[in-house]
Amino acid sequence: MIDKYFIELKGISKTFLSNGANALDFADFNLYRSEIHALFGENGAGKSTFMQIISGFTKPDTGKIFVDGIERTFKHPADALSIGIGMLRQNPELPIGLKVWEYASLSIKPFGTNKNGKKYINNICKEWNIEIPLDAVTESLSTADRQRTVILSLLLKNVHCFIFDEATAILNDSDTKKFIALCKLLKERGNAVVIISHKIEETMDIADRITILRKGKTAGVVDGDCPKDKIIKLMFDNINNIDNIDRINNIYLLEKNQINKNTKPMVVNNLTVEEIAFPYLRNISFEFETNICAVTGVHESGIETLEMAVAGLLSVKSGSVFINGKNIAGKGVDVLRLTGGAYLCTGTSLAEGRALRSWDGDLSIADNLLIHCYKKLNKGFFLHPSNVALYIKNIMRKAGLNNSVTQKAYTLSGGMLQRMLIFREFAEDSDVFIMHEIALGLDRNRKEIIFDSIKEAAKSGKYFLLFFSDIDDVLELCNEVIVLCNGEVSLQLHLSDLKNAKEKIRLAMTANDKNINWSKHQLNNIS
């Protein structure tokens, strides 16, 4: 590796005036060409802000940026793109109404004819092993295909430094492997790759070097083969906050807590959903056999449809969803909550033409935490301001947030917002928690805290239906897993024995594929 840095940042500081948060504090970073460089740090450490400064989305308060030894100033992303620096966000939003090849060719030299343009872009896809439907419209794409579309666009713009912000956080195993293969190919052909990630093991496997940020400062720069425990110690200023560092990456299974058979917190009977713009569900039936159950499957398998159907957000063609004995199918989240259920979608879902969010960015942290407290209103809860303050303080403490409660929610980092929402739901006296991607965007320490909180709640008799795209999270946290494929349950598996569990789940995800003819019996008897 040559000595000259491709990109170097020195003494970068950034404070956001909207909330006074000091995101970066004289941090340094350097990057070689032909390098895969990982950027680690706990939530709020400044990782995304750092990379947004490199790619021109944010201006630093202090510090200098050098590209090939020349000092640069970026006023907007186009300045960074013009010298070969581009960024891919985790869940990119693309303009609707454009075909993939049309979006990818925006802002580059015209091809003369559409036929020539599409042919050229198809050749680029073949050159970089990018599998993507060029004639598909952007609004129909999966997250993985949206990411690949942005990467294709960056390649066409002659980008040589690719910054990927939590790109694999919501990808399934197959798409993650394709993403990693592309990163390696980019490096082999002389490009620089920066990966922001909380998936330490996955990223260390391909990283040449790793920079660790802690509270906005550069805590250290190490080689990719650095011991994992050293990296974690650099990430957290007080390592004692981690219960047991030796088990951070070990699979930990909660001892099964079988439910009382006379009590059925959730029962789904012959659920069929045929909603436009959502994958159909066909005769889905299941009930809790343990306290922590995961639902997983590939994109378009129907997991998004099932998530919103069991939360009452989609109308059903037939069948029922019972929470504590009451059918809530199609009746909305308010009815779900009144029957003892809770629903948390950490991102944004689309149902019945409406964008659904579990929070309001324009409201303060305090207001977001009190959204569901109307149930306490009749008990005189709000007659005592001290009770309200204590209620908010307890949630903030458990979520590990030291922010002002008057701060706007949109100013929080993704990980901070995630923790705030999860512990807000835990503060409710619900029996059944339906949650979507609860580990998304969380650093290792915070994810352990969330998982441990779920395990403790399960021991006390609470039930969790968790929708996951990451099989490793399923194995680490859940007692059982339901796998959907083509709108049907292809596998319901107890996880008391982890032997070959991941292989069974992967096969079940494609069990109805015409090229993979595994029966349910075969899946359950893999040894």
Side-chain angles (χ1 to χ4, degrees), residues 176-464:
T176 296
K177 288 178 180 178
K178 292 176 182 177
F179 173 80
I180 290 174
L182 180 58
C183 288
K184 291 179 178 178
L185 185 59
L186 287 169
K187 172 192 169 182
E188 289 173 6
R189 296 184 179 178
N191 299 283
V193 177
V194 182
I195 300 177
I196 301 173
S197 179
H198 291 307
K199 295 186 176 182
I200 296 178
E201 304 89 341
E202 171 187 284
T203 311
M204 286 181 66
D205 285 343
I206 61 170
D208 299 297
R209 290 190 302 149
I210 299 166
T211 292
I212 299 99
L213 291 183
R214 185 175 70 235
K215 293 186 176 180
K217 297 178 181 292
T218 303
V221 182
V222 299
D223 291 333
D225 58 359
C226 176
K228 189 163 43 187
D229 60 347
K230 180 178 178 181
I231 291 174
I232 294 171
K233 288 177 181 177
L234 287 169
M235 286 173 59
F236 302 101
D237 58 345
N238 183 1
I239 199 63
N240 293 325
N241 287 335
I242 302 177
D243 294 334
N244 184 350
I245 195 169
D246 293 329
R247 82 173 192 28
I248 275 182
N249 295 295
N250 295 331
I251 290 175
Y252 175 92
L253 281 178
L254 174 68
E255 181 179 350
K256 279 189 179 180
N257 185 359
Q258 296 290 341
I259 68 171
N260 182 337
K261 293 303 179 181
N262 295 322
T263 302
K264 296 183 177 180
M266 172 182 277
V267 178
V268 177
N269 283 328
N270 300 317
L271 187 67
T272 296
V273 179
E274 295 185 357
E275 278 284 311
I276 296 175
F278 290 93
Y280 286 2
L281 297 181
R282 302 293 188 191
N283 296 316
I284 300 288
S285 295
F286 66 88
E287 61 183 76
F288 280 107
E289 297 182 11
T290 60
N291 287 69
I292 309 176
C293 179
V295 178
T296 191
V298 299
H299 182 70
E300 299 295 328
S301 65
I303 58 173
E304 301 93 343
T305 311
L306 180 60
E307 174 193 327
M308 287 185 282
V310 297
L313 292 170
L314 291 180
S315 60
V316 302
K317 182 178 181 181
S318 61
S320 54
V321 178
F322 288 95
I323 300 291
N324 288 328
K326 296 182 180 180
N327 188 6
I328 59 96
K331 297 180 180 178
V333 176
D334 286 346
V335 174
L336 170 73
R337 290 186 180 278
L338 289 172
T339 56
Y343 174 59
L344 175 63
C345 176
T346 54
T348 301
S349 290
L350 189 66
E352 300 175 353
R354 296 180 293 115
L356 300 170
R357 263 188 171 175
S358 298
W359 60 286
D360 188 329
D362 290 328
L363 294 180
S364 68
I365 291 174
D367 287 337
N368 272 279
L369 293 179
L370 295 173
I371 281 175
H372 302 308
C373 280
Y374 62 87
K375 288 188 291 184
K376 297 182 174 64
L377 183 61
N378 293 332
K379 300 177 183 179
F381 181 84
F382 288 105
L383 297 178
H384 302 283
S386 61
N387 286 350
V388 177
L390 182 61
Y391 180 82
I392 294 171
K393 182 179 179 181
N394 284 338
I395 298 176
M396 296 279 285
R397 175 180 56 81
K398 291 177 180 178
L401 299 177
N402 296 316
N403 309 69
S404 167
V405 297
T406 61
Q407 183 177 325
K408 297 291 187 182
Y410 75 84
T411 63
L412 294 176
S413 71
M416 289 179 178
L417 180 63
Q418 178 94 327
R419 281 150 34 207
M420 180 193 80
L421 295 175
I422 290 172
F423 281 100
R424 180 193 71 188
E425 296 302 314
F426 286 167
E428 293 292 311
D429 188 23
S430 301
D431 301 312
V432 179
F433 294 85
I434 301 165
M435 293 185 166
H436 165 89
E437 297 289 5
I438 56 170
L440 182 64
L442 293 179
D443 58 61
R444 182 65 60 174
N445 185 21
R446 299 302 180 183
K447 186 169 84 168
E448 286 292 316
I449 293 172
I450 298 296
F451 282 14
D452 287 345
S453 297
I454 289 175
K455 292 167 187 174
E456 287 301 314
K459 287 180 180 178
S460 69
K462 306 295 184 182
Y463 296 88
F464 293 84

Side-chain angles (χ1 to χ4, degrees), residues 1 6 32-36 160 186-193 208:
M1 190 175 287
F6 173 27
Y32 292 109
R33 292 185 184 272
S34 299
E35 176 185 30
I36 297 177
H160 296 294
L186 287 169
K187 172 192 169 182
E188 289 173 6
R189 296 184 179 178
N191 299 283
V193 177
D208 299 297

Side-chain angles (χ1 to χ4, degrees), residues 96-113:
I96 64 173
L98 293 177
K99 294 181 179 180
V100 168
W101 76 266
E102 291 172 333
Y103 171 81
S105 61
L106 290 176
S107 302
I108 63 174
K109 186 178 179 180
F111 297 104
T113 67

Side-chain angles (χ1 to χ4, degrees), residues 10-14 22 24-28 50 62-63 216-218:
K10 294 182 177 180
I12 300 295
S13 296
K14 180 64 181 180
N22 190 18
L24 292 169
D25 188 7
F26 294 97
D28 298 325
F50 215 173
T62 66
K217 297 178 181 292
T218 303

